[in-house]
Coordinates of all heavy atoms in Angstrom, one line a residue:
M1 N 0.8 -1.2 0.0 CA 0.0 0.0 0.0 C 0.9 1.3 0.0 O 0.6 2.2 -0.7 CB -0.9 0.0 1.2 CG -2.0 1.0 1.1 SD -3.1 1.2 2.5 CE -3.9 -0.4 2.6
I2 N 1.9 1.2 0.8 CA 2.9 2.3 0.8 C 3.5 2.6 -0.5 O 3.6 3.7 -1.0 CB 3.9 2.2 1.9 CG1 3.2 2.1 3.3 CG2 5.0 3.3 1.9 CD1 4.1 1.7 4.5
A3 N 4.0 1.5 -1.2 CA 4.6 1.6 -2.5 C 3.6 2.2 -3.5 O 3.9 3.0 -4.3 CB 5.1 0.3 -2.9
A4 N 2.4 1.7 -3.4 CA 1.3 2.1 -4.4 C 1.1 3.7 -4.2 O 0.9 4.4 -5.2 CB 0.0 1.4 -4.2
C5 N 1.1 4.1 -3.0 CA 0.9 5.6 -2.7 C 2.1 6.3 -3.2 O 1.9 7.4 -3.9 CB 0.7 5.8 -1.2 SG -0.9 5.3 -0.6
R6 N 3.2 5.9 -3.0 CA 4.5 6.5 -3.5 C 4.5 6.6 -5.0 O 5.0 7.5 -5.6 CB 5.7 5.9 -2.9 CG 5.9 6.2 -1.4 CD 7.3 6.0 -0.9 NE 7.5 6.1 0.5 CZ 7.7 7.3 1.1 NH1 7.7 8.4 0.4 NH2 7.9 7.4 2.4
N7 N 4.0 5.5 -5.6 CA 4.0 5.4 -7.1 C 2.9 6.3 -7.7 O 3.0 6.7 -8.9 CB 3.9 4.0 -7.5 CG 5.1 3.2 -7.3 OD1 6.2 3.7 -7.2 ND2 4.9 1.9 -7.1
S8 N 1.9 6.5 -7.0 CA 0.7 7.3 -7.5 C 0.7 8.8 -7.2 O 0.0 9.5 -7.9 CB -0.6 6.6 -7.0 OG -0.6 5.3 -7.4
F9 N 1.4 9.1 -6.1 CA 1.3 10.5 -5.7 C 2.7 11.1 -5.4 O 3.7 10.3 -5.2 CB 0.5 10.6 -4.4 CG -0.9 10.1 -4.5 CD1 -1.2 8.8 -4.0 CD2 -1.9 10.8 -5.1 CE1 -2.4 8.2 -4.1 CE2 -3.2 10.3 -5.2 CZ -3.4 9.0 -4.7
T10 N 2.8 12.3 -5.4 CA 4.1 13.0 -5.1 C 4.2 13.1 -3.6 O 3.4 13.8 -2.9 CB 4.2 14.4 -5.7 OG1 4.1 14.2 -7.1 CG2 5.6 15.0 -5.3
I11 N 5.0 12.2 -3.0 CA 5.2 12.2 -1.5 C 6.6 12.4 -1.2 O 7.5 11.9 -1.7 CB 4.7 10.8 -1.0 CG1 3.2 10.6 -1.3 CG2 4.9 10.7 0.5 CD1 2.7 9.2 -1.0
A12 N 6.8 13.3 -0.2 CA 8.2 13.7 0.2 C 8.9 12.4 0.7 O 8.3 11.6 1.4 CB 8.2 14.7 1.3
R13 N 10.2 12.3 0.3 CA 11.0 11.1 0.8 C 11.0 11.0 2.3 O 11.0 9.9 2.8 CB 12.4 11.2 0.3 CG 12.5 11.2 -1.2 CD 12.3 10.0 -2.0 NE 13.0 8.8 -1.4 CZ 12.6 7.6 -1.5 NH1 11.5 7.3 -2.1 NH2 13.3 6.6 -1.0
D14 N 10.9 12.1 3.0 CA 11.0 12.1 4.5 C 9.6 12.2 5.1 O 9.5 12.5 6.3 CB 11.9 13.2 5.0 CG 11.4 14.5 4.7 OD1 10.5 14.7 3.8 OD2 12.0 15.5 5.2
A15 N 8.5 11.9 4.3 CA 7.2 11.9 4.9 C 7.0 10.9 6.1 O 7.6 9.9 6.1 CB 6.2 11.6 3.8
E16 N 6.2 11.3 7.0 CA 5.9 10.4 8.1 C 5.0 9.4 7.7 O 3.9 9.7 7.1 CB 5.3 11.2 9.3 CG 5.0 10.3 10.5 CD 4.4 11.1 11.6 OE1 5.1 11.9 12.2 OE2 3.2 11.0 11.8
V17 N 5.4 8.1 7.9 CA 4.5 7.0 7.5 C 4.2 6.2 8.8 O 5.1 5.6 9.4 CB 5.2 6.0 6.4 CG1 4.3 4.9 6.1 CG2 5.5 6.8 5.2
T18 N 3.0 6.3 9.3 CA 2.7 5.7 10.6 C 1.9 4.4 10.4 O 1.0 4.3 9.6 CB 1.8 6.7 11.4 OG1 2.5 7.9 11.5 CG2 1.4 6.2 12.7
L19 N 2.2 3.4 11.3 CA 1.5 2.2 11.3 C 0.9 2.0 12.8 O 1.6 2.3 13.7 CB 2.5 1.0 11.0 CG 1.9 -0.4 11.3 CD1 1.2 -0.9 10.0 CD2 3.0 -1.3 11.6
E20 N -0.3 1.6 12.8 CA -0.9 1.2 14.2 C -0.8 -0.3 14.3 O -1.3 -1.0 13.4 CB -2.3 1.8 14.3 CG -2.8 1.5 15.7 CD -4.0 2.3 16.1 OE1 -4.2 3.3 15.4 OE2 -4.7 1.9 17.0
T21 N -0.4 -0.8 15.4 CA -0.3 -2.2 15.6 C -0.6 -2.6 17.1 O -0.5 -1.7 17.9 CB 1.1 -2.7 15.2 OG1 1.2 -4.1 15.3 CG2 2.3 -2.2 16.1
N22 N -0.8 -3.8 17.3 CA -1.1 -4.3 18.6 C 0.2 -4.9 19.2 O 0.9 -5.7 18.5 CB -2.2 -5.4 18.6 CG -2.7 -5.9 19.9 OD1 -1.9 -6.3 20.8 ND2 -4.0 -5.8 20.1
P23 N 0.5 -4.7 20.4 CA 1.7 -5.2 21.0 C 1.8 -6.8 20.9 O 2.8 -7.3 20.8 CB 1.7 -4.8 22.5 CG 0.8 -3.6 22.5 CD -0.2 -3.8 21.4
E24 N 0.6 -7.4 21.1 CA 0.6 -8.9 21.1 C 1.0 -9.4 19.7 O 1.6 -10.5 19.7 CB -0.8 -9.4 21.5 CG -0.8 -10.9 21.8 CD 0.1 -11.3 22.9 OE1 0.3 -10.5 23.9 OE2 0.7 -12.4 22.9
T25 N 0.7 -8.8 18.6 CA 1.0 -9.3 17.3 C 2.3 -8.7 16.7 O 2.6 -9.0 15.6 CB -0.2 -9.1 16.4 OG1 -0.5 -7.7 16.3 CG2 -1.4 -9.9 16.9
S26 N 2.9 -7.8 17.4 CA 4.1 -7.1 17.0 C 5.3 -8.0 17.2 O 5.5 -8.4 18.4 CB 4.2 -5.8 17.7 OG 5.5 -5.2 17.3
T27 N 6.1 -8.3 16.2 CA 7.3 -9.1 16.4 C 8.4 -8.3 15.7 O 8.2 -7.4 14.9 CB 7.2 -10.5 15.6 OG1 7.0 -10.2 14.2 CG2 6.0 -11.3 16.1
R28 N 9.6 -8.7 16.1 CA 10.8 -8.1 15.5 C 10.8 -8.2 14.0 O 11.2 -7.3 13.2 CB 12.1 -8.7 16.1 CG 13.3 -7.9 15.7 CD 14.5 -8.4 16.5 NE 15.6 -7.5 16.1 CZ 16.7 -7.4 16.7 NH1 16.9 -8.2 17.8 NH2 17.7 -6.6 16.4
E29 N 10.4 -9.4 13.5 CA 10.4 -9.6 12.0 C 9.3 -8.7 11.4 O 9.6 -8.1 10.3 CB 10.0 -11.1 11.7 CG 11.1 -12.1 12.1 CD 11.1 -12.4 13.6 OE1 10.1 -12.1 14.3 OE2 12.2 -12.8 14.1
R30 N 8.2 -8.5 12.0 CA 7.2 -7.6 11.4 C 7.6 -6.2 11.4 O 7.5 -5.5 10.5 CB 5.8 -7.7 12.2 CG 5.0 -8.9 11.8 CD 3.7 -8.9 12.6 NE 2.7 -9.6 11.8 CZ 1.5 -9.7 12.1 NH1 1.0 -9.1 13.2 NH2 0.7 -10.3 11.3
M31 N 8.3 -5.8 12.5 CA 8.8 -4.4 12.6 C 9.9 -4.2 11.5 O 9.9 -3.2 10.9 CB 9.4 -4.2 14.0 CG 8.5 -4.0 15.1 SD 7.4 -2.6 15.0 CE 5.9 -3.4 14.6
S32 N 10.7 -5.2 11.3 CA 11.7 -5.1 10.2 C 11.0 -5.0 8.8 O 11.4 -4.2 8.0 CB 12.6 -6.4 10.2 OG 13.5 -6.3 9.2
G33 N 10.0 -5.7 8.6 CA 9.2 -5.6 7.3 C 8.5 -4.3 7.2 O 8.6 -3.7 6.1
F34 N 7.9 -3.8 8.2 CA 7.3 -2.5 8.2 C 8.3 -1.4 7.9 O 8.1 -0.5 7.0 CB 6.6 -2.2 9.5 CG 5.4 -3.1 9.8 CD1 5.2 -3.4 11.2 CD2 4.6 -3.7 8.8 CE1 4.1 -4.3 11.5 CE2 3.6 -4.5 9.2 CZ 3.3 -4.8 10.5
R35 N 9.5 -1.5 8.5 CA 10.5 -0.5 8.3 C 11.0 -0.6 6.8 O 11.2 0.4 6.2 CB 11.7 -0.9 9.3 CG 12.8 0.2 9.2 CD 13.9 -0.2 10.2 NE 13.5 -0.1 11.6 CZ 13.4 -1.2 12.4 NH1 13.7 -2.4 12.0 NH2 13.0 -1.1 13.6
A36 N 11.2 -1.8 6.3 CA 11.6 -2.0 4.9 C 10.6 -1.4 4.0 O 10.9 -0.9 2.9 CB 11.8 -3.4 4.6
A37 N 9.3 -1.4 4.3 CA 8.2 -0.9 3.5 C 8.1 0.6 3.6 O 7.4 1.2 2.7 CB 6.9 -1.5 3.9
G38 N 8.8 1.2 4.5 CA 8.8 2.7 4.6 C 8.2 3.3 5.9 O 8.1 4.5 6.0
V39 N 7.7 2.4 6.7 CA 7.1 2.9 8.0 C 8.2 3.5 8.9 O 9.3 2.9 9.1 CB 6.4 1.7 8.8 CG1 6.0 2.2 10.2 CG2 5.3 1.2 8.0
N40 N 8.0 4.7 9.4 CA 9.0 5.4 10.2 C 8.4 5.9 11.6 O 9.0 6.6 12.3 CB 9.7 6.5 9.5 CG 8.7 7.5 8.9 OD1 7.6 7.7 9.4 ND2 9.2 8.2 7.9
R41 N 7.2 5.4 11.8 CA 6.5 5.8 13.1 C 5.5 4.7 13.4 O 4.7 4.3 12.5 CB 5.8 7.1 13.0 CG 5.1 7.6 14.3 CD 4.5 9.0 14.1 NE 3.9 9.4 15.3 CZ 2.6 9.2 15.6 NH1 1.8 8.5 14.8 NH2 2.1 9.6 16.8
V42 N 5.5 4.2 14.7 CA 4.6 3.2 15.0 C 3.7 3.7 16.2 O 4.2 4.3 17.2 CB 5.3 1.9 15.5 CG1 4.4 0.8 16.0 CG2 6.1 1.3 14.3
S43 N 2.4 3.4 16.1 CA 1.5 3.7 17.2 C 1.0 2.3 17.7 O 0.4 1.5 17.0 CB 0.3 4.5 16.7 OG -0.6 4.7 17.7
F44 N 1.3 2.1 19.0 CA 0.9 0.8 19.6 C -0.5 1.0 20.3 O -0.7 2.0 20.9 CB 1.9 0.3 20.7 CG 3.1 -0.2 20.1 CD1 4.3 0.6 20.0 CD2 3.2 -1.5 19.6 CE1 5.4 0.1 19.5 CE2 4.4 -2.0 19.0 CZ 5.5 -1.2 19.0
G45 N -1.3 0.0 20.2 CA -2.6 0.0 20.8 C -2.6 -0.3 22.3 O -3.1 -1.3 22.7
V46 N -1.9 0.5 23.1 CA -1.7 0.3 24.5 C -2.5 1.3 25.3 O -2.3 2.5 25.2 CB -0.2 0.4 24.9 CG1 0.0 0.3 26.4 CG2 0.7 -0.5 24.1
Q47 N -3.5 0.8 26.0 CA -4.3 1.7 26.7 C -3.9 1.9 28.2 O -4.2 2.8 28.9 CB -5.8 1.2 26.8 CG -6.6 1.5 25.5 CD -6.1 0.6 24.4 OE1 -5.8 -0.5 24.5 NE2 -6.1 1.2 23.2
S48 N -3.0 1.0 28.6 CA -2.5 1.0 30.0 C -1.2 0.1 30.1 O -1.1 -0.8 29.3 CB -3.5 0.5 30.9 OG -3.0 0.5 32.3
F49 N -0.4 0.4 31.0 CA 0.7 -0.5 31.4 C 0.5 -1.1 32.7 O 1.4 -1.6 33.4 CB 2.0 0.4 31.4 CG 2.5 0.7 30.0 CD1 2.2 1.9 29.4 CD2 3.3 -0.2 29.3 CE1 2.7 2.2 28.1 CE2 3.7 0.1 28.0 CZ 3.4 1.3 27.4
R50 N -0.8 -1.2 33.1 CA -1.2 -2.0 34.3 C -2.0 -3.2 33.9 O -3.1 -3.0 33.3 CB -2.0 -1.0 35.2 CG -1.1 0.2 35.7 CD -1.8 1.1 36.7 NE -2.3 0.3 37.8 CZ -3.3 0.6 38.6 NH1 -4.0 1.7 38.3 NH2 -3.6 -0.1 39.6
D51 N -1.5 -4.3 34.3 CA -2.2 -5.6 33.9 C -3.7 -5.6 34.3 O -4.5 -6.1 33.6 CB -1.4 -6.8 34.5 CG -0.2 -7.1 33.7 OD1 -0.1 -6.8 32.5 OD2 0.8 -7.6 34.3
V52 N -4.0 -5.1 35.5 CA -5.3 -5.2 36.0 C -6.3 -4.4 35.1 O -7.4 -4.8 34.8 CB -5.4 -4.7 37.5 CG1 -6.0 -3.4 37.7 CG2 -6.0 -5.7 38.4
E53 N -5.8 -3.2 34.6 CA -6.6 -2.4 33.7 C -6.7 -3.0 32.4 O -7.8 -3.0 31.8 CB -6.0 -1.0 33.6 CG -6.2 -0.2 34.9 CD -5.5 1.2 34.8 OE1 -5.1 1.6 33.7 OE2 -5.5 1.9 35.8
L54 N -5.6 -3.6 31.9 CA -5.6 -4.3 30.6 C -6.6 -5.4 30.6 O -7.4 -5.6 29.6 CB -4.3 -4.8 30.2 CG -3.2 -3.6 29.9 CD1 -1.8 -4.2 29.8 CD2 -3.6 -3.0 28.6
K55 N -6.7 -6.2 31.6 CA -7.6 -7.3 31.7 C -9.0 -6.8 31.7 O -9.9 -7.3 31.1 CB -7.3 -8.1 33.0 CG -8.2 -9.3 33.1 CD -7.8 -10.2 34.3 CE -8.6 -11.4 34.3 NZ -8.2 -12.3 35.4
R56 N -9.3 -5.7 32.5 CA -10.6 -5.1 32.6 C -11.1 -4.6 31.2 O -12.3 -4.7 30.9 CB -10.6 -4.0 33.6 CG -12.0 -3.3 33.8 CD -12.0 -2.3 34.9 NE -11.1 -1.2 34.7 CZ -11.2 -0.2 33.9 NH1 -12.3 -0.1 33.2 NH2 -10.3 0.7 33.8
L57 N -10.1 -4.1 30.4 CA -10.5 -3.6 29.1 C -10.5 -4.7 28.1 O -10.9 -4.4 26.9 CB -9.4 -2.6 28.7 CG -9.4 -1.3 29.5 CD1 -8.1 -0.5 29.2 CD2 -10.6 -0.4 29.3
G58 N -10.2 -5.9 28.4 CA -10.3 -7.0 27.5 C -9.1 -7.1 26.5 O -9.3 -7.7 25.4
R59 N -8.0 -6.4 26.8 CA -6.9 -6.4 26.0 C -6.2 -7.8 26.1 O -6.2 -8.4 27.1 CB -5.9 -5.3 26.4 CG -6.5 -3.9 26.4 CD -7.0 -3.6 25.0 NE -5.8 -3.4 24.1 CZ -5.9 -3.2 22.8 NH1 -7.1 -3.1 22.2 NH2 -4.8 -3.1 22.1
I60 N -5.6 -8.2 24.9 CA -5.0 -9.5 24.9 C -3.5 -9.5 25.3 O -2.9 -10.5 25.5 CB -5.1 -10.2 23.5 CG1 -4.4 -9.4 22.4 CG2 -6.6 -10.4 23.2 CD1 -4.4 -10.1 21.0
H61 N -2.9 -8.3 25.4 CA -1.5 -8.2 25.8 C -1.3 -7.8 27.3 O -2.3 -7.3 27.9 CB -0.7 -7.2 24.9 CG -1.2 -5.8 25.1 ND1 -2.3 -5.3 24.4 CD2 -0.9 -4.8 26.0 CE1 -2.5 -4.1 24.8 NE2 -1.6 -3.8 25.7
S62 N -0.2 -8.1 27.8 CA 0.1 -7.7 29.2 C 1.0 -6.5 29.1 O 1.5 -6.0 28.1 CB 1.0 -8.8 29.8 OG 2.2 -9.0 29.2
A63 N 1.1 -5.9 30.3 CA 2.0 -4.7 30.4 C 3.4 -5.0 30.0 O 4.0 -4.2 29.3 CB 1.9 -4.1 31.8
E64 N 3.9 -6.1 30.4 CA 5.3 -6.6 30.0 C 5.4 -6.7 28.5 O 6.4 -6.2 27.9 CB 5.6 -7.9 30.7 CG 7.0 -8.3 30.4 CD 7.4 -9.6 31.1 OE1 6.5 -10.3 31.7 OE2 8.6 -10.0 31.0
R65 N 4.4 -7.3 27.9 CA 4.4 -7.5 26.4 C 4.4 -6.1 25.7 O 5.1 -5.9 24.7 CB 3.3 -8.4 26.0 CG 3.2 -8.6 24.5 CD 4.5 -9.3 23.9 NE 4.6 -9.0 22.5 CZ 5.7 -8.6 22.0 NH1 6.8 -8.5 22.6 NH2 5.8 -8.3 20.7
A66 N 3.6 -5.2 26.3 CA 3.6 -3.9 25.7 C 5.0 -3.2 25.7 O 5.5 -2.6 24.7 CB 2.5 -3.0 26.4
R67 N 5.6 -3.3 26.9 CA 7.0 -2.7 27.0 C 7.9 -3.4 26.1 O 8.8 -2.7 25.4 CB 7.4 -2.8 28.5 CG 6.8 -1.8 29.4 CD 7.4 -1.8 30.8 NE 7.1 -3.0 31.5 CZ 6.1 -3.2 32.3 NH1 5.2 -2.3 32.4 NH2 5.9 -4.3 32.9
D68 N 7.9 -4.7 26.0 CA 8.7 -5.5 25.1 C 8.5 -5.1 23.6 O 9.5 -4.9 22.9 CB 8.5 -7.0 25.3 CG 9.1 -7.5 26.5 OD1 9.8 -6.8 27.3 OD2 8.7 -8.7 26.9
A69 N 7.3 -4.9 23.2 CA 7.0 -4.5 21.8 C 7.6 -3.2 21.5 O 8.2 -3.0 20.4 CB 5.5 -4.5 21.6
V70 N 7.5 -2.2 22.4 CA 8.1 -0.9 22.2 C 9.6 -1.0 22.1 O 10.2 -0.4 21.2 CB 7.7 0.1 23.3 CG1 8.5 1.4 23.2 CG2 6.2 0.4 23.3
T71 N 10.2 -1.8 22.9 CA 11.7 -2.1 22.9 C 12.1 -2.7 21.6 O 13.0 -2.3 20.9 CB 12.1 -2.9 24.0 OG1 11.8 -2.3 25.3 CG2 13.6 -3.2 24.0
E72 N 11.3 -3.7 21.1 CA 11.6 -4.3 19.8 C 11.5 -3.4 18.7 O 12.3 -3.4 17.7 CB 10.6 -5.5 19.6 CG 10.9 -6.7 20.5 CD 9.8 -7.7 20.5 OE1 8.8 -7.5 19.7 OE2 9.8 -8.6 21.3
A73 N 10.5 -2.5 18.7 CA 10.4 -1.5 17.6 C 11.5 -0.5 17.5 O 11.9 -0.1 16.5 CB 9.0 -0.8 17.7
R74 N 12.1 -0.2 18.7 CA 13.2 0.7 18.7 C 14.5 0.2 18.3 O 15.4 0.8 18.0 CB 13.3 1.3 20.1 CG 12.0 2.2 20.4 CD 12.2 2.9 21.7 NE 13.4 3.7 21.5 CZ 13.6 4.9 22.1 NH1 12.8 5.4 22.9 NH2 14.7 5.6 21.8
R75 N 14.6 -1.2 18.4 CA 15.8 -1.9 18.1 C 16.0 -1.9 16.6 O 15.2 -2.5 15.8 CB 15.8 -3.3 18.7 CG 17.1 -4.0 18.6 CD 16.9 -5.3 19.4 NE 16.7 -5.1 20.8 CZ 15.9 -5.8 21.6 NH1 15.2 -6.8 21.1 NH2 15.7 -5.5 22.8
P76 N 17.2 -1.5 16.1 CA 17.4 -1.6 14.6 C 17.4 -3.1 14.2 O 17.9 -3.9 14.9 CB 18.8 -0.9 14.4 CG 19.0 -0.1 15.7 CD 18.2 -0.8 16.7
A77 N 16.9 -3.3 12.9 CA 16.9 -4.6 12.4 C 18.3 -5.1 12.0 O 18.6 -6.2 12.0 CB 16.0 -4.7 11.2
S78 N 19.1 -4.1 11.6 CA 20.5 -4.4 11.2 C 21.4 -3.2 11.6 O 20.9 -2.2 11.9 CB 20.6 -4.7 9.7 OG 20.3 -3.5 9.0
P79 N 22.7 -3.4 11.5 CA 23.6 -2.3 11.9 C 23.4 -1.1 11.1 O 23.7 0.0 11.5 CB 25.0 -2.9 11.8 CG 24.8 -4.4 11.8 CD 23.4 -4.6 11.3
T80 N 22.9 -1.2 9.9 CA 22.7 0.0 9.0 C 21.4 0.6 9.0 O 21.2 1.6 8.4 CB 23.1 -0.4 7.5 OG1 22.2 -1.5 7.1 CG2 24.5 -0.9 7.4
S81 N 20.4 -0.1 9.6 CA 19.0 0.5 9.6 C 18.8 1.3 10.9 O 19.5 1.2 11.9 CB 18.0 -0.6 9.5 OG 18.1 -1.4 10.7
R82 N 17.8 2.2 10.7 CA 17.5 3.1 11.9 C 16.3 2.5 12.6 O 15.5 1.8 12.0 CB 17.1 4.5 11.4 CG 18.3 5.2 10.7 CD 17.9 6.6 10.3 NE 16.5 6.9 10.3 CZ 15.9 7.5 9.3 NH1 16.6 8.0 8.3 NH2 14.7 7.8 9.4
S83 N 16.1 2.8 13.9 CA 15.0 2.4 14.6 C 13.8 3.2 14.2 O 13.9 4.3 13.6 CB 15.2 2.5 16.1 OG 15.4 3.9 16.4
I84 N 12.6 2.7 14.5 CA 11.3 3.3 14.1 C 11.1 4.4 15.2 O 11.2 4.1 16.3 CB 10.2 2.4 14.0 CG1 10.5 1.5 12.8 CG2 8.9 3.1 13.8 CD1 9.4 0.4 12.6

């Protein structure tokens, strides 16, 4: 979708490309793929970092998993790539 937009419209090379994702389904491999596709900003669906609140809200991730997902997203995929 990102490539199609870049091919169809004039978009600045440094345009912000945001992806919204769930911490539970976010993996290092997915973050690497998103980065390769041009994503440079990630919004995680984290409503709380307190397990009791997450459970009450029916969220499938834990506070620990949310923290881990953010850490994974910030970690470069390779020595030459930048973090998101």
Side-chain angles (χ1 to χ4, degrees):
M1 192 181 301
I2 295 168
C5 287
R6 289 199 184 275
N7 291 334
S8 299
F9 305 100
T10 303
I11 299 174
R13 299 283 314 149
D14 62 347
E16 180 179 289
V17 180
T18 303
L19 171 88
E20 185 164 340
T21 188
N22 187 308
E24 192 60 34
T25 59
S26 174
T27 64
R28 189 169 187 170
E29 292 78 21
R30 280 184 151 183
M31 289 294 112
S32 180
F34 296 146
R35 186 179 294 111
V39 172
N40 54 24
R41 182 175 180 271
V42 175
S43 174
F44 287 100
V46 178
Q47 282 71 37
S48 176
F49 285 97
R50 295 182 60 205
D51 286 329
V52 107
E53 289 178 6
L54 292 168
K55 185 175 182 175
R56 183 176 56 80
L57 294 169
R59 302 300 293 175
I60 62 173
H61 65 272
S62 66
E64 180 179 10
R65 178 63 201 130
R67 284 188 290 275
D68 289 347
V70 171
T71 299
E72 289 168 3
R74 294 188 59 148
R75 189 174 295 139
S78 70
T80 59
S81 66
R82 297 185 342 224
S83 62
I84 294 177

